[in-house]
Every structure is written in C-alpha cells, then in structure tokens.
C-alpha cells in the first residue's frame, strides 16, 4: 500500500481525499494543515496534523500531495518539503514554471526524492496532449480552448471593482473558432476570437451599475481584449446558480502530412468536468503513484508530466496493460 | 542527425518517407525491400536496397521502421531485426501482442537494442488515452469508437463472396451511442449499438445481387452482429469515390469522483485523419526518435507506448518543452 498525505485542506485537498479512496493500492495517512487540527473535520474522518510537525511523520509517508495555491504556498512548500518527502504539486503559474522547477529540482536531489510539479489538467493533461500532438504532427498548429468554466483570477479582479459585492466570471470558447479549428482550417485567431468572458455581478445597494460595467469591460489584460458581457444579479441568485465548480476545455492540433503536405489531420483532446478541483486531484493522485514507483527504482529530482512513462500511473501490471489496454 | 531506414515500401513505408522529411533532426538513409531495387522508385529519390543485405548497412542506421503487415511480416521481421537494430513496428493484432512482445523482447535484449512495438493509433495513441484516462478516473467506463473509415479486413471478406468483383467497407460509429457516452450517461452498448457497417460492392455482370447482399449481411463475426447496408455500384464509381484512405475515431472515458461519486467527468480523444497510413507513419517516426534516445541512455529490450516518457518523442529540449508546452 502507498501511504499518501495531503498538505492543505481546501477544495483540492478534499478532492485528493476522495480520489485516494478510489484507488485500492493507496491509503490516506493524514492531512497536514496550518490551521488548528482540533477545529477541522475531514470528509472521511482521516486525522489532521499540524503542518509544522510533519517531519515527525516522515517514516509513515510515501508521498505528499501539496494542495496549496501557486501564488504563495507552493513556491515555498514544494522545494522545502522535497528535501524530506516525495512530493506532487499542481503549480499552475505557467510563466514561473522554469524557476519553480529549478528550485524544486535542487531540493529533491539533495533529499534523494522525486518531485513532480505542475500536475493537473493545464498544466498537466493539456500539456501532454500538446506535446504528443506536436511530436506526431510537427507541421501544424496547436490551439488550446478553456471553458466553459469559472476563472478564479478574473472573478477576483471583478470583486476588486468599487461597488461590487461578489462576482463570478465564466470563460467560454467561441463556437465559430472551435468549429473552424476542428475543420482543419488552421485559422489565425486573436484573443477576442477564441474566448468570450461572461460576468455575473452582485452590486452594492445604490452602486452605479453603468460605471461598474464599463470598468469591468475596459480592464486591461483581464477583459479589454475580449467580448465581455456583464449581468447584474442578486446575492440569492449568485448562491443558487453560480456555485458550481464545473469546467472543461480542448486541446486541438491540426497538421499536414504527405509529400506535398496534401493531407490534413485533426487531433482533439476534450474534457468536460463537473468538478474542476476533483478532476485535478484525480490527476495528482495518479502521479503520486508514479512518484513512489520512480523513487523505488532509484530516480531522483524534479519531474513533470513529460518525464513520466504512462505505465507508472496505473494500478495494473505491465502484462495486464499490454493485454487489456494496448 | 538520426539515421532512419524503412523496411517495406507500401503505403506505410511511403508515409514514413514523407514524415521523416518533416523532422529536422532526422534523415532517411534508405528503403529496404524484398522486391528488386532496380524496379523501384521512391517518392523522394532515397535509395532502395535489398532487404537480405541489410546487415551490411548496420553501422549507417540508427533505427529501422518496419512497415510490413501484422499477419505474416512483423511476427518474423521484428524479432529477427531487433537482434541487430533498434526497431519500431505497428503490430496491430491486439490478441497476439503479448506473444509478439515476448519474442521481440528476447531478441532486443540479446542485441542490446530498443524495440518499440504496436505503435500507431490503435494500438498506439488510443491505447495511451485509454491508459491515461483510466489512471485518472479509476471509477468509470472507457469506450472506443472507430471510423468513419475503411476496414481492410471487412472489405477483404466481402471480396471473397461469390459474384463480387471489388468492395469497400466503412465502419461508422453510431451517432446516438457517441452522444450518450459524451453526455456521461455510461450506457451499456451492444456491438450493434456502437458501429454501423456500410458496404460498397461492385458485382460481376449477371450476379444475383439479393444473394450477395444476404450473404454479406449474415456473415458471422464480420457483419451478422451489425446493422449493415449494402450498395451496389459500378467499378468507375468505386475508383472515383472510394479510394480515399481517411479514417478516425474516438476514445472516451466517463468517470465519477466525489465522496459519493456525485460528480461526472468525460475525457475524449478524437482523431480525424485524411490518410490513415500517413498518420500511423507520423506516430512511428516520433517513436523512432524515442528509441534512439533510449538506446543512447542504455535502455534495452522491448517497449510499448506505455513505457516511453513523452519528452523522448519531441525534437525539443526539456527546458524548451517546460517553458513552451507545459
């Protein structure tokens, strides 16, 4: 049995707790949190320990799944904990991945551990599909579409607008763009042509709605380059209709082959998720299995999804997968 | 530069020739054939050599891509050539993969070479997607749909019917089944509910068309378990409209997560191919790169797509892929 521990108990940590229970070769040792364990209750009753006492539990844990945020938690926690544990994280600040990789690699090698970073769906399964498709069809173009789903960053940006009580922002792929890409038309798409942004906003009593709407739609980086719609709703409606964690998206590569590039091929990877955090958690758990196997075989250092042989992810023998899945 | 050679020069071999020319880190050394090289002309002018003199060329070749058939060529050629070369094949008789693996593994280890078998789209990319999706969503069901595309085996079966001059059989996924699977309805589907079989038949003058149609539709294994339609056409129409090599298909997994399995997720991998052999060739070429890299690192023996770290497939450094694709 693989002994898994969770660091951080938000939506992602709870998702890992559920996902571990679906895998027969794993058991959950505990949750580690900065909060007071006495005041926490886990979904499955698994114990909660203080994060700053985690080293006391070192011998009982095969792999730590780090469920903190990419902004401030993971840049510190992943390298630090990689000195003493095999670790997996879902670090998703794309621009800072090279720097995070270097920091984690140094510490993982120091501790002779495996660390797998940026595991989830993007980065993660979408990255894998970009790589596989580009490897197979080197002459072509890759498109990534996100949604329909809530963007936490964009929702937060709206909440910072004066007069806004709460907000939820959905990123939605433009149907015509998806259709053109799927048809192998290889379109050149602007930011505006790929995604729509739909905002649901609860305003404070007496706030100037036109001013709020204008401020959102002209916000640089977040909204100015998109077709954005703003709906004002009540707090009741927000809580009734906009609490779901569903998400999804597509990676599509369209490429040419043939002596005169006369043949077209389209590869599409599409996910439709009821729960964004639970799906990410499920990916994390599969890679936790891979980390433990790789460490047993003597590998050390920081890895990404690109470095992991697929067979390491599944709870089946090589003979079984060749017979039943190949 | 990676020096690639092709064994067997049919549609697949020609596809490999085209695919190698799309990859800057590879060059084609030559084609090896059982036919008389004097009577052969390659698409790009690359030389043709006699297959039985291949050992003379050993030091010039980094990897051999075997483009023969699974019925009789590959079971003999892949193990034999793995003694002296790194080899890649597209062996696709699913039921005989374990046996083929054992034979090839023994010879590849003897020669200290890497052999990667069953590379293409099914087996190949579809297998990978079955494995990734099942690893992530262990509670769920995987569905594979093939088509629309020509099945060579089924076309051949029709050609053996008395009174038939030529035939082409298309395998077509049933739209309602695809829709239900994509909706996460997790249906139990019979053979008949998953695929249709559409046949285009050129009959001999004066043949009994009703008899032919009945014989096709009731043929055990091939057609009896399917809804089959038969169209009689002229030889001209066959040659005008039914020579395309297009194909495609989908691997879809629908799975549950959550403390009470309350959330549903659908992962779909879909390919739409103008040329079935050229796409397969493109996959073979990417895995040829991986074979050469793995051999350089000291790995030996038989591998499948499940064993290959994705990063080995692409003509980019690990730093580049972490920065640009992750």
């Amino acid at each position: 049995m693989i002994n898994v521990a969770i660091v951080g108990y938000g939506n992602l940590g709870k998702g890992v707790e559920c996902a571990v229970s679906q895998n027969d070769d794993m058991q959950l040792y505990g949750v580690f949190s900065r909060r007071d364990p006495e005041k926490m209750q886990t979904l499955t009753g698994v114990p909660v320990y203080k994060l700053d006492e985690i080293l006391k539990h070192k011998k009982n844990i095969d792999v730590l799944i780090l469920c903190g945020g990419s902004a401030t938690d993971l840049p510190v926690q992943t390298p630090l904990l990689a000195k003493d544990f095999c670790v997996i994280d879902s670090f998703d600040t794309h621009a800072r991945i090279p720097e995070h990789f270097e920091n984690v690699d140094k510490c993982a090698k120091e501790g002779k551990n495996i660390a797998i970073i940026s595991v989830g769906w993007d980065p993660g399964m979408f990255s894998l599909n970009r790589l596989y498709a580009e490897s197979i069809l080197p002459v072509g173009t890759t498109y990534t579409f996100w949604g329909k789903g809530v963007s936490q960053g964009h929702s937060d940006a709206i909440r910072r607008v004066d007069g806004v009580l709460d907000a939820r922002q959905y990123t939605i792929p433009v149907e015509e763009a998806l259709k053109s890409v799927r048809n192998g038309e290889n379109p050149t798409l602007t930011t505006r042509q790929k995604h729509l942004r739909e905002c649901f906003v609860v305003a404070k009593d007496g706030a100037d709605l036109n001013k709020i709407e204008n401020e959102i739609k002209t916000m640089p980086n977040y909204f100015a380059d998109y077709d954005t719609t703003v709906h004002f709703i009540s707090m009741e409606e927000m809580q009734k209709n906009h609490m779901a964690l569903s998400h999804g998206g597509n990676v599509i590569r369209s490429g040419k082959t043939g002596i005169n590039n006369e043949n077209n091929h389209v590869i599409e990877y599409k996910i439709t998720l009821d729960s964004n955090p639970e799906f990410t958690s499920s990916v994390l758990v599969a890679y936790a299995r891979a980390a433990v196997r790789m460490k047993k075989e003597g590998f050390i250092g920081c890895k990404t999804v690109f470095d992991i042989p697929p067979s390491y992810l599944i709870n089946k023998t090589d003979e079984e997968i060749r017979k039943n899945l190949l």
Side-chain angles (χ1 to χ4, degrees), chain A residues 5-80:
Chain A
I6 294 169
V7 175
Y9 197 65
N11 282 336
L12 202 58
K14 287 174 189 163
V16 169
E17 184 181 8
C18 296
V20 167
S21 72
Q22 291 188 331
N23 288 280
D24 297 339
D25 60 336
M26 297 185 171
Q27 58 195 12
L28 196 57
Y29 173 76
V31 169
F32 290 85
S33 174
R34 284 172 301 206
R35 287 182 276 164
D36 180 358
E38 299 293 320
K39 292 179 183 157
M40 290 172 70
Q41 178 62 49
T42 56
L43 292 172
T44 61
V46 74
V48 185
Y49 304 104
K50 288 184 182 170
L51 180 54
D52 58 16
E53 296 180 358
I54 195 168
L55 284 179
K56 291 185 190 168
H57 301 265
K58 186 170 168 174
K59 70 174 193 321
N60 303 316
I61 297 168
D62 295 312
V63 58
L64 282 183
I65 302 182
L66 309 185
C67 299
S70 295
T72 56
D73 298 330
L74 300 176
V76 178
Q77 288 178 350
T78 313
L80 186 69

Side-chain angles (χ1 to χ4, degrees), chain A residues 162-194:
Chain A
D162 203 41
V164 170
L165 269 182
D166 198 5
R168 209 72 85 248
Q169 192 270 186
Y170 296 92
T171 305
I172 306 170
V174 174
E175 261 319 309
E176 297 75 45
L178 261 175
K179 201 175 157 189
S180 170
V181 170
R182 283 180 178 142
N183 284 344
E185 292 164 13
N186 221 7
T188 304
L189 298 168
T190 62
T191 299
R192 190 179 300 275
Q193 287 168 323
K194 284 185 70 189

Side-chain angles (χ1 to χ4, degrees), chain A residues 56-247:
Chain A
K56 291 185 190 168
H57 301 265
K58 186 170 168 174
K59 70 174 193 321
N60 303 316
I61 297 168
D62 295 312
V63 58
L64 282 183
I65 302 182
L66 309 185
C67 299
S70 295
T72 56
D73 298 330
L74 300 176
V76 178
Q77 288 178 350
T78 313
L80 186 69
L81 292 167
K83 291 181 185 173
D84 293 288
F85 299 91
C86 280
V87 296
I88 312 289
D89 80 20
S90 62
F91 185 79
D92 66 358
T93 312
H94 289 261
R96 295 187 60 195
I97 287 174
E99 172 193 344
H100 187 55
F101 182 91
E102 292 307 325
N103 294 338
V104 175
D105 192 49
K106 193 167 155 279
C107 294
K109 282 178 176 156
E110 199 181 306
K112 297 194 166 54
N113 287 311
I114 285 279
I116 312 180
I117 61 160
S118 302
V119 173
W121 58 273
D122 197 357
M125 299 312 297
F126 274 21
S127 322
L128 274 177
N129 277 279
R130 287 187 284 259
L131 185 141
Y132 276 118
E134 186 179 325
S135 303
I136 297 169
L137 298 173
V139 177
T141 312
T142 302
Y143 300 83
T144 302
F145 292 92
W146 298 275
K148 180 182 176 175
V150 168
S151 160
Q152 210 51 60
H154 288 77
S155 301
D156 290 343
I158 301 175
R159 286 190 203 102
R160 288 191 293 264
V161 170
D162 203 41
V164 170
L165 269 182
D166 198 5
R168 209 72 85 248
Q169 192 270 186
Y170 296 92
T171 305
I172 306 170
V174 174
E175 261 319 309
E176 297 75 45
L178 261 175
K179 201 175 157 189
S180 170
V181 170
R182 283 180 178 142
N183 284 344
E185 292 164 13
N186 221 7
T188 304
L189 298 168
T190 62
T191 299
R192 190 179 300 275
Q193 287 168 323
K194 284 185 70 189
H195 294 94
L196 303 171
R197 300 206 175 274
E198 188 172 23
C199 313
F200 292 84
V201 178
V202 182
K204 287 180 188 159
D205 275 352
D208 181 342
L209 303 190
N210 283 329
K211 189 166 166 280
I212 291 174
E213 179 166 345
N214 185 59
E215 204 167 322
I216 294 171
K217 288 184 170 177
T218 58
M219 200 184 294
N221 301 319
Y222 286 92
F223 295 99
D225 297 335
Y226 296 85
D227 287 339
T228 301
T229 52
V230 176
H231 310 277
F232 290 98
I233 60 172
S234 67
M235 192 56 96
E236 292 68 41
E237 200 182 331
M238 176 67 76
Q239 274 157 7
K240 187 171 160 225
N241 298 331
H242 299 283
M243 301 308 284
L245 300 167
S246 60
H247 217 306

